[in-house]
Amino acid sequence: RIGEVFAFYTADGAAADDGTVLRFVERAGTFASSPGFANPEGVLPGLADAAPVFDGTSIPAYSDHWVSNVLDREGFLRTLEEALGFTPKVDFNAGVVAAGEARIESTVTGNTSRRLAVSGADALVNQSQVYLPINNALSPVGHVHGFLQEIGQGIQHVASRVDDLKAFIERVNNYRLITGRGFTFLNIPRSYYGRLDAPLLAKHTTCSAVLREAVCAALVTAGGLSTT
């Protein structure tokens, strides 16, 4: 059996945006779930599970999160909670996610996984925890507003995790210089990320004081956070 739920609605919540649906598949009999490499619940009917093979010239990347831009963020969050049981994990406000005149609101929602990663290697490949950042625009400028105006509601980007981010970036840049092919990285201004410090982490996350200080110290050391 297959069930479908509209993912997005108009800004006032009065009508469904029929461009995207959440589809649920109930499997039974010969189509019953069976454990798979990437999904312990198995793959969809008609698909075969296949373990990834890397030939030494490619770098493994695993799904980390995907971001959606919507007109009604709170309405979409309610849909995800009612349909999937997802609940907010991190809530940002417009002062945190801002760049110049562009302002957005963002909430990260997801499931509550019963499995905890026990090592860095496990955290890299563990797909049991799902994170879905949801954005809505608060200003008539910026990438979220532009996305909604030009494309409509939907997934803005998909993010992947790799074992060594610095090595991955270096390899991509070198490959592009040598071959003239590949992709380039965006030059994001620091102002996009707003002001991050331990008190702000305390307000918007549930991590301990020791972890908050450690995160800020590591970002300063890596050059990703200024102390001024």
Side-chain angles (χ1 to χ4, degrees):
R1 294 187 297 178
I2 297 177
E4 295 182 337
V5 177
F6 287 116
F8 309 124
Y9 288 79
T10 54
D12 59 7
D17 181 342
D18 59 6
T20 305
V21 297
L22 303 175
R23 180 170 293 141
F24 302 89
V25 179
E26 181 182 15
R27 292 160 290 181
T30 57
F31 296 115
S33 299
S34 59
F37 173 81
N39 185 353
E41 298 301 322
V43 296
L44 291 175
L47 301 179
D49 185 70
V53 177
F54 302 100
D55 59 7
T57 62
S58 57
I59 296 178
Y62 302 88
S63 176
D64 185 80
H65 67 270
W66 60 94
V67 178
S68 295
N69 293 337
V70 300
L71 298 172
D72 184 358
R73 178 176 52 89
E74 294 184 352
F76 187 41
L77 290 171
R78 286 194 298 271
T79 296
L80 291 175
E81 182 171 7
E82 293 170 359
L84 300 173
F86 285 8
T87 55
K89 306 303 178 185
V90 180
D91 226 351
F92 298 103
N93 61 38
V96 176
V97 187
E101 297 181 355
R103 295 181 296 119
I104 69 173
E105 288 180 315
S106 182
T107 299
V108 180
T109 190
N111 65 318
T112 301
S113 175
R114 293 174 292 180
R115 176 184 173 188
L116 296 176
V118 296
S119 65
D122 184 33
L124 177 65
V125 302
N126 191 335
Q127 303 290 289
S128 61
Q129 178 63 58
V130 176
Y131 288 117
L132 302 179
I134 313 298
N135 301 330
N136 67 265
L138 291 178
S139 63
V141 295
H143 66 91
V144 174
H145 173 78
F147 183 96
L148 292 170
Q149 288 291 106
E150 296 180 16
I151 301 176
Q153 302 186 94
I155 297 175
Q156 181 200 58
H157 70 263
V158 177
S160 299
R161 64 177 78 125
V162 294
D163 182 49
D164 188 331
L165 182 58
K166 287 185 177 180
F168 176 79
I169 293 175
E170 181 179 11
R171 180 166 184 160
V172 169
N173 288 336
N174 290 338
Y175 182 86
R176 187 178 65 255
L177 290 173
I178 295 171
T179 66
R181 299 180 179 181
F183 56 85
T184 59
F185 296 97
L186 296 175
N187 185 18
I188 305 297
R190 288 180 180 271
S191 60
Y192 174 81
Y193 298 100
R195 178 181 59 83
L196 179 64
D197 54 25
L200 196 63
L201 286 175
K203 181 179 179 181
H204 295 287
T205 71
T206 58
C207 58
S208 67
V210 173
L211 181 57
R212 293 194 296 268
E213 294 292 346
V215 167
C216 290
L219 288 172
V220 169
T221 301
L225 182 65
S226 174
T227 57
T228 59

